[in-house]
Amino acid sequence: MYWPLGAPRIYAVDPSLGPHNSIGADGDQAAIGSSDLLPEKLQGQNVSSDETAATDSDTGLSATLGRDAPRSQDSQPTESHIKATNAARIDAASESIDAQGTDAIVGLRVSRSGQLFSTFTSNAVTIWHTRPTAVLARVIRSSHSLEAYGINTSLLLRPDSAVLVVQTALGYLITYSLATNVSNPVYQPSFPQSAGGHSRRHSVGNARALWGGNGFLSGSGEGRGFRELAIRFRMVIKIDAGVSKALALDNELIVATEKPAAVQCIRWTPDANGSQTSTELLSRMAWMPRKTCVTNMVHDRAMNLATWITADGRGFAVQRTSPSTPDDATSRQLFRGYCFHNPANDKDVAVKAAINARFSLIAVGCEDGSVSVYVARDYVGNIPLSHRLQPSVSFSSSGKITFMSYSPDGYCLFVGFQKGWMMWSVFGKPGGSSFVTDRNSAHANNEQWLLGVRDGAWVSGGSEIMLVGQNDDRIFIMGMARSAVSGCFSASNVSQSLLQTDSGIMIYRGNESSGIDSISGEANLWQPVPAPASYLLNQWPLRAAVISPDGRYVAVAGRRGLAHYSVNSGRWKTFLDDHMENEFAVRGGMCWHQHILIAAIESNGNYGLRLFSRELALDNSLSLHTETLAAPVVLISRSGEDSLLVYTQDNILYHYVITATNTSVALVQVGQIGFHGIVRSPARVRALSWILPDEQIRNGDPAQDVTVAAVLFLVDGKLVVLQPSITEENGLKYEMRVLAHSVEYFGLMRDRYPFATPPTDDSPLSNVPMSASTDGEGQFRGLADSLWIFDGQSIRTWPDVQELLGSAPGEQLHAVTIHVDFYPLSIMSERGVLLGLDPELVQRRDLSFAFYKFVIRTQLFLPAVFRHYLSQYDLPAALSLSHQYTHLPYFPHALEILLHDVLDEEVDRAPSKEDALLPTVISFLSNFPDYLDIIVQCTRKTEVRSWRTLFEHLPSPQELFDEALNKGWLKTAGGYLLVLQTFQELGSSSPQVVQLLSEAKEEEDWELCKELARFLMALDETGATLREALQKVDLSGEWEMQRDSGSSALPLPSYANGTELGLGIVSRSRPQSASGKLSEAMSPEEVNGNGEGEQEYFNHGTPQRNVLPVNETLDPLYKRVDSAIRFIGSGPPRKVIVITDQPLETLEQEQSTGYWYMQVHMALEVAGTNNPDGTPKDGRARLEIAIRHPPMGDPFFLVRFLDLAPANNHQAPGPEGHQGSVRRIDYIGETRATNKDFVDPNKGSGIVADSWSKDMIYSVGPTQEPNTCNHLIQRVLTRLGLAFPPKLQAVFDNANEYTKRFSKDFVMGVWTLSHDIASPDFGGVRSEPWIREYSIIDPEFPELKYTNLVLDRDDLYIEW
């Protein structure tokens, strides 16, 4: 629901604007120590005042202005704020700053209105304006004050921003009063006078409001300017018992003390009896354990609930009690509470807490970094555990929890840790995180917001979050993009994928695309639209947004008023009259009916609905209709074609019908329902809709809808349905059922277009077979009547909501569950796709900062729905549903996923024949024309061991081959050849291959002919079978798999777990350590040294990586394939070696696991060659992935192929390695590939390009899928028909550049055998290393030799 977006804005107090720009603490020229600065006496138990607090030497208070005005002009304080104060006070403050220097921010607090916030350091407090972000005033404590009272440890801000309380280390509370003067701005823009200039005339209309009297262009939220703020010292309160935690509420200050452990309540003003304090010892609280104290407290005003954390790690839900009469004040308990979190071990000890009033949740952060979330069902202790949240990294990588807070709308939980931060949705879906960052880069760029959080707060209504880093003096304000559902729950917001920020919206335009483009992950499918600057000037931030069901119009609402936008024309409409715009505020949401905007509003204490037309100007006098209501609106919802549901805070649901004529539009109330005694708290209802019987929709009276409608409520994360029934007295009663828990949002498809109307007799689906999912007239509804929910982990759907409502109260209808690894933003039911977003952190070498963007994610839900129907043996329903999606280009892929998932499951668990679903799935697939393709595509993506299970329920592969051939599907028929070979139904001189080859020749499908030739070479490496087949189809010529210098190699894509066999078939079970083709001139002793120690080498330390068991009958085929797919080439034979570097001093031990990591770097070298006349042909070449250190910028990885030297001396690699390393040399074999075969700079092709395509990424680390230089070398050797010898294969299996874990002894044991293989004689010695680099350059930029090469099969893509 929330995604971090962009890079944070950064603010800090300029230390140069310190005491020299000081002002008095009271904001005027009052002398230090004047009567208005003297502390007031405060009488009460364990509370005393320091009467000397305001003396000249003790207070040492000064307020200073910051520097964060707009930098495009000289922003200066007004005249009243630049007058000097008492000289002695300035000197004292100056000495304090000089002695302590700039201090890191300890924490921050935000006012309830969000217009002000305050930060504090160990010796200062700074008051900021939120938007525009700038310092209004600063209080700096003197060194004497710090010595007397202690440094600042915490800061409290009364919710109304009138009182500020500083908690000190020595148990004092220093209070200040804040006074705001709206008529006197703090900052005045001034522009230097320039001669000969001219002023530009600004356009009229709303744009003129953006320009101030001095010609200053204001930004979002800056219409009211900066308010003058005066800080006035009030008093110092000494708490003799010591302060462990304090809490500032509207009416009182609650202080938890240490010795004795107690809670004191200090009223801001005395009560009627003159009493100002009350105290209750923890030992007298029957619900509190003995010998403990309160260490943390948080309070939520909306729930009237506090959470206390005690020293023993328990969590308590606490409410403040008030005495019935003044006489009861001394005898009555001040608090009542219940323990809901009792740690089972030390890791479960509570340290932080956060309250979510919107969903009635309490989150408790634990010692081990996990978060336990509880649901508060009532106020009498019924607070069970809802779910637990675990960070994506270990505790050693995250550190302890330092900050927790729910967003104002309750949909997002932000948790700050000592070493980063992470976000979760309300019911536990992981979101943005800083733990994916490259910490070295973040340290280099001083991006503390990625490295750890000390404190934070949500601002701008949840559109931004403020963060304070560890030991940092800066404030980072990070923007958020959030789903419009969070601010305005609407069926169209769920279906149309609308995002909102603090100053704009983002519209998903994929719904307008057709075919595969509609589910593309391209970022250009999102259209960012900034809100009008004239509207944001005074109404920032945006609080709600809603899109029309057809996606044509969008409306937004900020602090006051509203604006709407046409997607097609790209134009906004706003109120031309500022008074009309400020006259009302949207409270309760908005929705669209065609081009009519319906808004629930509050105006001068009155509540109602207003209708505006997109075709008319925004003007209250032009509103189409106004409906007055008796109570504030909680939410409004469209239902069906013309129904409007309005739910108000007096617990009444109103039903309106939207009636339109040629000249007017009006709302006509046709019914209402009171839910008194059923819904306890209307404010906690997040969404609602209702479900009418189909007969009522077609023929019923709208006035009777309220008597037959089943009402859906989303309350506290529970999806509740209220079903009506008639009592014996002809009264109406409702039966309540809870359909699901932990629901973040739901979607009722009948509320959306074009599914709002039940199918009619002339529906295109009227002739489909009868099934369980039909209405009373036999019409199939498909998913038009489905109900979808997201529970924080997966999407669940009931395909037929009427069936759900018609089930017995105790009957549980199983929902279709679709697991997703991203946050699903909307259900694109007409495309069979779930659309969602994933946050992505971008760190680039050419940027000195990191930023967030989001990535579009999609997932097909059709396989899960089909499986649901088939598991219920409802084949007609599955077929009927499939008819709605067969036009989609990816529909065959959805069927393939269905078959793959069912096959994998049944291979593993082997169900009985009665429970097996695979036969039903195959029967279902046989109804589609792509049936044969689906089967063969599934075999490509499953292991060979699964084929037997699959073909037990299919015709024989020979029959499927013949069927495909008869239909002319040659490539499909080719796919069944490998199946026939695997089942040993295909001989070396198979007529099937000849028949297919003949058909391919007739169709002139030469690509298929080439694939068949490769396949025949795999069957018979001598080539006799291939020659015989070619003769039978009258294809003459020598078909040796050979390549000249100008041709392209056969494409051999690499796979992490398989080897290409031709015909697009991948074998997944072939072991990676199969031996390669070795030169016949080399003996085993020469290859493996003295031949000893091999078994010990494999058995030393940890074993090789696990590989799937291999069918021994297939092993000869794999060996033949090894030799058949090798690149033959046309050059002279060249010896190939692999050089492995092991820098022993770089062995690293991972602290959290204790494992050691071995860094291994491999490079492939090929001997140089001469022409027949003895002249050099190819220089000795080296292939590797290297790190380039350019003259400017950061280092980066590149794939490079180097021609090391002229070849006439056949230079050999020397035994030396990198500094401090040990080098191992392994002879691999021979090749006839030339340097141009490896990389052709003119065509951008070759063996290297085939081995490292443009979409590959260099990745290392224990948590990533490895793809390193070692993998590149292995893929190149495969294409040469070579492979690692066993010992080197073991190194590859156990190293892979920091990706495998093993003991230090194993690492050292491997490298004691480093020189058991003699270096092969390449003829000559290495004299002039790396004379020239092979010229892989961009023709347009020939001077750029050192570039990052991202190699593709067809081209070389160069980045710099």
Side-chain angles (χ1 to χ4, degrees), residues 218-244:
S218 300
S220 301
E222 299 178 4
R224 291 171 293 172
F226 297 87
R227 300 182 178 185
E228 179 188 29
L229 185 70
I231 302 180
R232 187 181 302 275
F233 172 77
R234 294 185 65 186
M235 68 186 70
V236 174
I237 305 173
K238 182 179 181 182
I239 308 297
D240 295 329
V243 181
S244 61

PDB file of all heavy atoms in Angstrom, residues 218-244:
ATOM      1  N   SER A 218       5.531  31.094  -4.772  1.00  0.00           N
ATOM      2  CA  SER A 218       5.359  30.172  -3.651  1.00  0.00           C
ATOM      3  C   SER A 218       5.177  28.752  -4.166  1.00  0.00           C
ATOM      4  O   SER A 218       4.731  28.521  -5.288  1.00  0.00           O
ATOM      5  CB  SER A 218       4.153  30.574  -2.806  1.00  0.00           C
ATOM      6  OG  SER A 218       4.316  31.876  -2.293  1.00  0.00           O
ATOM      7  N   GLY A 219       5.500  27.794  -3.309  1.00  0.00           N
ATOM      8  CA  GLY A 219       5.373  26.384  -3.657  1.00  0.00           C
ATOM      9  C   GLY A 219       4.226  25.729  -2.920  1.00  0.00           C
ATOM     10  O   GLY A 219       3.399  26.387  -2.272  1.00  0.00           O
ATOM     11  N   SER A 220       4.184  24.389  -2.982  1.00  0.00           N
ATOM     12  CA  SER A 220       3.107  23.630  -2.363  1.00  0.00           C
ATOM     13  C   SER A 220       3.082  23.855  -0.861  1.00  0.00           C
ATOM     14  O   SER A 220       4.112  23.723  -0.185  1.00  0.00           O
ATOM     15  CB  SER A 220       3.285  22.136  -2.668  1.00  0.00           C
ATOM     16  OG  SER A 220       3.283  21.908  -4.048  1.00  0.00           O
ATOM     17  N   GLY A 221       1.921  24.208  -0.341  1.00  0.00           N
ATOM     18  CA  GLY A 221       1.750  24.402   1.083  1.00  0.00           C
ATOM     19  C   GLY A 221       2.345  25.676   1.630  1.00  0.00           C
ATOM     20  O   GLY A 221       2.360  25.875   2.849  1.00  0.00           O
ATOM     21  N   GLU A 222       2.806  26.571   0.766  1.00  0.00           N
ATOM     22  CA  GLU A 222       3.487  27.777   1.226  1.00  0.00           C
ATOM     23  C   GLU A 222       2.603  29.006   1.149  1.00  0.00           C
ATOM     24  O   GLU A 222       3.072  30.124   1.300  1.00  0.00           O
ATOM     25  CB  GLU A 222       4.752  28.002   0.397  1.00  0.00           C
ATOM     26  CG  GLU A 222       5.749  26.872   0.516  1.00  0.00           C
ATOM     27  CD  GLU A 222       6.979  27.099  -0.346  1.00  0.00           C
ATOM     28  OE1 GLU A 222       7.069  28.174  -0.966  1.00  0.00           O
ATOM     29  OE2 GLU A 222       7.843  26.213  -0.402  1.00  0.00           O
ATOM     30  N   GLY A 223       1.313  28.804   0.909  1.00  0.00           N
ATOM     31  CA  GLY A 223       0.420  29.939   0.762  1.00  0.00           C
ATOM     32  C   GLY A 223       0.290  30.764   2.020  1.00  0.00           C
ATOM     33  O   GLY A 223       0.123  31.989   1.957  1.00  0.00           O
ATOM     34  N   ARG A 224       0.368  30.128   3.179  1.00  0.00           N
ATOM     35  CA  ARG A 224       0.232  30.866   4.446  1.00  0.00           C
ATOM     36  C   ARG A 224       1.551  31.383   4.968  1.00  0.00           C
ATOM     37  O   ARG A 224       1.590  32.092   5.968  1.00  0.00           O
ATOM     38  CB  ARG A 224      -0.413  29.952   5.487  1.00  0.00           C
ATOM     39  CG  ARG A 224      -1.870  29.623   5.205  1.00  0.00           C
ATOM     40  CD  ARG A 224      -2.385  28.555   6.125  1.00  0.00           C
ATOM     41  NE  ARG A 224      -1.732  27.279   5.868  1.00  0.00           N
ATOM     42  CZ  ARG A 224      -1.883  26.213   6.611  1.00  0.00           C
ATOM     43  NH1 ARG A 224      -2.657  26.266   7.676  1.00  0.00           N
ATOM     44  NH2 ARG A 224      -1.273  25.088   6.301  1.00  0.00           N
ATOM     45  N   GLY A 225       2.658  31.022   4.305  1.00  0.00           N
ATOM     46  CA  GLY A 225       3.957  31.525   4.709  1.00  0.00           C
ATOM     47  C   GLY A 225       4.417  30.956   6.034  1.00  0.00           C
ATOM     48  O   GLY A 225       3.861  29.998   6.573  1.00  0.00           O
ATOM     49  N   PHE A 226       5.459  31.587   6.598  1.00  0.00           N
ATOM     50  CA  PHE A 226       6.023  31.186   7.881  1.00  0.00           C
ATOM     51  C   PHE A 226       5.375  31.993   9.002  1.00  0.00           C
ATOM     52  O   PHE A 226       5.283  33.214   8.915  1.00  0.00           O
ATOM     53  CB  PHE A 226       7.537  31.436   7.916  1.00  0.00           C
ATOM     54  CG  PHE A 226       8.322  30.654   6.919  1.00  0.00           C
ATOM     55  CD1 PHE A 226       8.518  31.144   5.641  1.00  0.00           C
ATOM     56  CD2 PHE A 226       8.874  29.442   7.248  1.00  0.00           C
ATOM     57  CE1 PHE A 226       9.241  30.442   4.725  1.00  0.00           C
ATOM     58  CE2 PHE A 226       9.601  28.720   6.326  1.00  0.00           C
ATOM     59  CZ  PHE A 226       9.780  29.219   5.059  1.00  0.00           C
ATOM     60  N   ARG A 227       4.960  31.291  10.016  1.00  0.00           N
ATOM     61  CA  ARG A 227       4.385  31.983  11.166  1.00  0.00           C
ATOM     62  C   ARG A 227       5.462  32.325  12.184  1.00  0.00           C
ATOM     63  O   ARG A 227       6.343  31.513  12.459  1.00  0.00           O
ATOM     64  CB  ARG A 227       3.312  31.117  11.819  1.00  0.00           C
ATOM     65  CG  ARG A 227       2.145  30.764  10.895  1.00  0.00           C
ATOM     66  CD  ARG A 227       1.105  29.940  11.619  1.00  0.00           C
ATOM     67  NE  ARG A 227      -0.027  29.632  10.766  1.00  0.00           N
ATOM     68  CZ  ARG A 227      -1.112  28.998  11.183  1.00  0.00           C
ATOM     69  NH1 ARG A 227      -1.210  28.600  12.449  1.00  0.00           N
ATOM     70  NH2 ARG A 227      -2.104  28.758  10.356  1.00  0.00           N
ATOM     71  N   GLU A 228       5.340  33.497  12.724  1.00  0.00           N
ATOM     72  CA  GLU A 228       6.275  33.876  13.779  1.00  0.00           C
ATOM     73  C   GLU A 228       6.042  33.004  15.008  1.00  0.00           C
ATOM     74  O   GLU A 228       4.900  32.776  15.415  1.00  0.00           O
ATOM     75  CB  GLU A 228       6.096  35.348  14.145  1.00  0.00           C
ATOM     76  CG  GLU A 228       7.032  35.787  15.267  1.00  0.00           C
ATOM     77  CD  GLU A 228       6.702  37.176  15.742  1.00  0.00           C
ATOM     78  OE1 GLU A 228       5.527  37.565  15.649  1.00  0.00           O
ATOM     79  OE2 GLU A 228       7.603  37.856  16.227  1.00  0.00           O
ATOM     80  N   LEU A 229       7.109  32.533  15.581  1.00  0.00           N
ATOM     81  CA  LEU A 229       7.014  31.649  16.743  1.00  0.00           C
ATOM     82  C   LEU A 229       7.867  32.198  17.866  1.00  0.00           C
ATOM     83  O   LEU A 229       9.063  32.482  17.672  1.00  0.00           O
ATOM     84  CB  LEU A 229       7.479  30.235  16.382  1.00  0.00           C
ATOM     85  CG  LEU A 229       7.313  29.191  17.486  1.00  0.00           C
ATOM     86  CD1 LEU A 229       5.837  28.880  17.703  1.00  0.00           C
ATOM     87  CD2 LEU A 229       8.059  27.919  17.123  1.00  0.00           C
ATOM     88  N   ALA A 230       7.260  32.386  19.013  1.00  0.00           N
ATOM     89  CA  ALA A 230       7.983  32.875  20.197  1.00  0.00           C
ATOM     90  C   ALA A 230       8.062  31.755  21.222  1.00  0.00           C
ATOM     91  O   ALA A 230       7.054  31.106  21.525  1.00  0.00           O
ATOM     92  CB  ALA A 230       7.277  34.088  20.796  1.00  0.00           C
ATOM     93  N   ILE A 231       9.262  31.511  21.736  1.00  0.00           N
ATOM     94  CA  ILE A 231       9.476  30.490  22.769  1.00  0.00           C
ATOM     95  C   ILE A 231       9.655  31.210  24.100  1.00  0.00           C
ATOM     96  O   ILE A 231      10.524  32.066  24.235  1.00  0.00           O
ATOM     97  CB  ILE A 231      10.712  29.627  22.460  1.00  0.00           C
ATOM     98  CG1 ILE A 231      10.556  28.955  21.097  1.00  0.00           C
ATOM     99  CG2 ILE A 231      10.937  28.590  23.540  1.00  0.00           C
ATOM    100  CD1 ILE A 231      11.743  28.096  20.729  1.00  0.00           C
ATOM    101  N   ARG A 232       8.845  30.847  25.070  1.00  0.00           N
ATOM    102  CA  ARG A 232       8.900  31.497  26.383  1.00  0.00           C
ATOM    103  C   ARG A 232       9.148  30.434  27.445  1.00  0.00           C
ATOM    104  O   ARG A 232       8.413  29.459  27.545  1.00  0.00           O
ATOM    105  CB  ARG A 232       7.596  32.237  26.662  1.00  0.00           C
ATOM    106  CG  ARG A 232       7.626  33.091  27.929  1.00  0.00           C
ATOM    107  CD  ARG A 232       6.276  33.756  28.138  1.00  0.00           C
ATOM    108  NE  ARG A 232       5.908  34.570  27.011  1.00  0.00           N
ATOM    109  CZ  ARG A 232       6.296  35.837  26.851  1.00  0.00           C
ATOM    110  NH1 ARG A 232       7.061  36.421  27.761  1.00  0.00           N
ATOM    111  NH2 ARG A 232       5.911  36.520  25.798  1.00  0.00           N
ATOM    112  N   PHE A 233      10.201  30.637  28.206  1.00  0.00           N
ATOM    113  CA  PHE A 233      10.505  29.709  29.291  1.00  0.00           C
ATOM    114  C   PHE A 233       9.424  29.772  30.362  1.00  0.00           C
ATOM    115  O   PHE A 233       8.964  30.851  30.727  1.00  0.00           O
ATOM    116  CB  PHE A 233      11.862  30.063  29.896  1.00  0.00           C
ATOM    117  CG  PHE A 233      12.185  29.286  31.144  1.00  0.00           C
ATOM    118  CD1 PHE A 233      12.609  27.977  31.073  1.00  0.00           C
ATOM    119  CD2 PHE A 233      12.034  29.878  32.395  1.00  0.00           C
ATOM    120  CE1 PHE A 233      12.891  27.261  32.226  1.00  0.00           C
ATOM    121  CE2 PHE A 233      12.310  29.170  33.535  1.00  0.00           C
ATOM    122  CZ  PHE A 233      12.744  27.861  33.451  1.00  0.00           C
ATOM    123  N   ARG A 234       9.001  28.590  30.840  1.00  0.00           N
ATOM    124  CA  ARG A 234       7.950  28.534  31.864  1.00  0.00           C
ATOM    125  C   ARG A 234       8.501  28.131  33.219  1.00  0.00           C
ATOM    126  O   ARG A 234       8.441  28.878  34.172  1.00  0.00           O
ATOM    127  CB  ARG A 234       6.848  27.553  31.456  1.00  0.00           C
ATOM    128  CG  ARG A 234       6.061  27.982  30.232  1.00  0.00           C
ATOM    129  CD  ARG A 234       4.906  27.034  29.961  1.00  0.00           C
ATOM    130  NE  ARG A 234       3.909  27.079  31.026  1.00  0.00           N
ATOM    131  CZ  ARG A 234       2.868  26.275  31.095  1.00  0.00           C
ATOM    132  NH1 ARG A 234       2.688  25.327  30.165  1.00  0.00           N
ATOM    133  NH2 ARG A 234       1.995  26.376  32.080  1.00  0.00           N
ATOM    134  N   MET A 235       9.050  26.940  33.300  1.00  0.00           N
ATOM    135  CA  MET A 235       9.500  26.456  34.608  1.00  0.00           C
ATOM    136  C   MET A 235      10.401  25.250  34.437  1.00  0.00           C
ATOM    137  O   MET A 235      10.464  24.638  33.358  1.00  0.00           O
ATOM    138  CB  MET A 235       8.300  26.057  35.480  1.00  0.00           C
ATOM    139  CG  MET A 235       7.573  24.826  34.975  1.00  0.00           C
ATOM    140  SD  MET A 235       6.077  24.460  35.904  1.00  0.00           S
ATOM    141  CE  MET A 235       5.032  25.801  35.378  1.00  0.00           C
ATOM    142  N   VAL A 236      11.090  24.900  35.512  1.00  0.00           N
ATOM    143  CA  VAL A 236      11.852  23.669  35.615  1.00  0.00           C
ATOM    144  C   VAL A 236      11.203  22.822  36.696  1.00  0.00           C
ATOM    145  O   VAL A 236      11.000  23.286  37.824  1.00  0.00           O
ATOM    146  CB  VAL A 236      13.324  23.932  35.959  1.00  0.00           C
ATOM    147  CG1 VAL A 236      14.059  22.624  36.200  1.00  0.00           C
ATOM    148  CG2 VAL A 236      13.991  24.720  34.847  1.00  0.00           C
ATOM    149  N   ILE A 237      10.850  21.606  36.355  1.00  0.00           N
ATOM    150  CA  ILE A 237      10.200  20.690  37.291  1.00  0.00           C
ATOM    151  C   ILE A 237      11.217  19.610  37.654  1.00  0.00           C
ATOM    152  O   ILE A 237      11.747  18.935  36.765  1.00  0.00           O
ATOM    153  CB  ILE A 237       8.947  20.048  36.677  1.00  0.00           C
ATOM    154  CG1 ILE A 237       7.984  21.118  36.186  1.00  0.00           C
ATOM    155  CG2 ILE A 237       8.272  19.122  37.665  1.00  0.00           C
ATOM    156  CD1 ILE A 237       6.807  20.572  35.423  1.00  0.00           C
ATOM    157  N   LYS A 238      11.485  19.458  38.906  1.00  0.00           N
ATOM    158  CA  LYS A 238      12.406  18.430  39.362  1.00  0.00           C
ATOM    159  C   LYS A 238      11.620  17.221  39.862  1.00  0.00           C
ATOM    160  O   LYS A 238      10.747  17.350  40.722  1.00  0.00           O
ATOM    161  CB  LYS A 238      13.313  18.946  40.466  1.00  0.00           C
ATOM    162  CG  LYS A 238      14.328  17.903  40.928  1.00  0.00           C
ATOM    163  CD  LYS A 238      15.246  18.435  42.017  1.00  0.00           C
ATOM    164  CE  LYS A 238      16.250  17.377  42.432  1.00  0.00           C
ATOM    165  NZ  LYS A 238      17.139  17.857  43.523  1.00  0.00           N
ATOM    166  N   ILE A 239      11.932  16.059  39.317  1.00  0.00           N
ATOM    167  CA  ILE A 239      11.301  14.808  39.737  1.00  0.00           C
ATOM    168  C   ILE A 239      12.297  14.073  40.608  1.00  0.00           C
ATOM    169  O   ILE A 239      13.287  13.519  40.120  1.00  0.00           O
ATOM    170  CB  ILE A 239      10.896  13.947  38.521  1.00  0.00           C
ATOM    171  CG1 ILE A 239      10.063  14.777  37.535  1.00  0.00           C
ATOM    172  CG2 ILE A 239      10.134  12.712  38.974  1.00  0.00           C
ATOM    173  CD1 ILE A 239       8.752  15.258  38.088  1.00  0.00           C
ATOM    174  N   ASP A 240      12.051  14.092  41.927  1.00  0.00           N
ATOM    175  CA  ASP A 240      13.009  13.487  42.853  1.00  0.00           C
ATOM    176  C   ASP A 240      13.162  11.996  42.625  1.00  0.00           C
ATOM    177  O   ASP A 240      14.226  11.434  42.857  1.00  0.00           O
ATOM    178  CB  ASP A 240      12.562  13.743  44.293  1.00  0.00           C
ATOM    179  CG  ASP A 240      12.597  15.230  44.632  1.00  0.00           C
ATOM    180  OD1 ASP A 240      13.457  15.923  44.064  1.00  0.00           O
ATOM    181  OD2 ASP A 240      11.756  15.658  45.423  1.00  0.00           O
ATOM    182  N   ALA A 241      12.119  11.330  42.148  1.00  0.00           N
ATOM    183  CA  ALA A 241      12.163   9.878  41.970  1.00  0.00           C
ATOM    184  C   ALA A 241      12.846   9.472  40.677  1.00  0.00           C
ATOM    185  O   ALA A 241      12.991   8.276  40.409  1.00  0.00           O
ATOM    186  CB  ALA A 241      10.737   9.306  42.020  1.00  0.00           C
ATOM    187  N   GLY A 242      13.253  10.418  39.855  1.00  0.00           N
ATOM    188  CA  GLY A 242      13.882  10.088  38.589  1.00  0.00           C
ATOM    189  C   GLY A 242      12.849   9.810  37.514  1.00  0.00           C
ATOM    190  O   GLY A 242      11.801   9.215  37.790  1.00  0.00           O
ATOM    191  N   VAL A 243      13.152  10.228  36.308  1.00  0.00           N
ATOM    192  CA  VAL A 243      12.213  10.077  35.195  1.00  0.00           C
ATOM    193  C   VAL A 243      12.698   8.968  34.274  1.00  0.00           C
ATOM    194  O   VAL A 243      13.816   9.014  33.756  1.00  0.00           O
ATOM    195  CB  VAL A 243      12.071  11.388  34.396  1.00  0.00           C
ATOM    196  CG1 VAL A 243      11.077  11.217  33.247  1.00  0.00           C
ATOM    197  CG2 VAL A 243      11.643  12.529  35.313  1.00  0.00           C
ATOM    198  N   SER A 244      11.863   7.958  34.080  1.00  0.00           N
ATOM    199  CA  SER A 244      12.194   6.916  33.109  1.00  0.00           C
ATOM    200  C   SER A 244      11.520   7.170  31.772  1.00  0.00           C
ATOM    201  O   SER A 244      12.070   6.866  30.718  1.00  0.00           O
ATOM    202  CB  SER A 244      11.794   5.536  33.643  1.00  0.00           C
ATOM    203  OG  SER A 244      10.399   5.480  33.881  1.00  0.00           O
TER     204      SER A 244
END
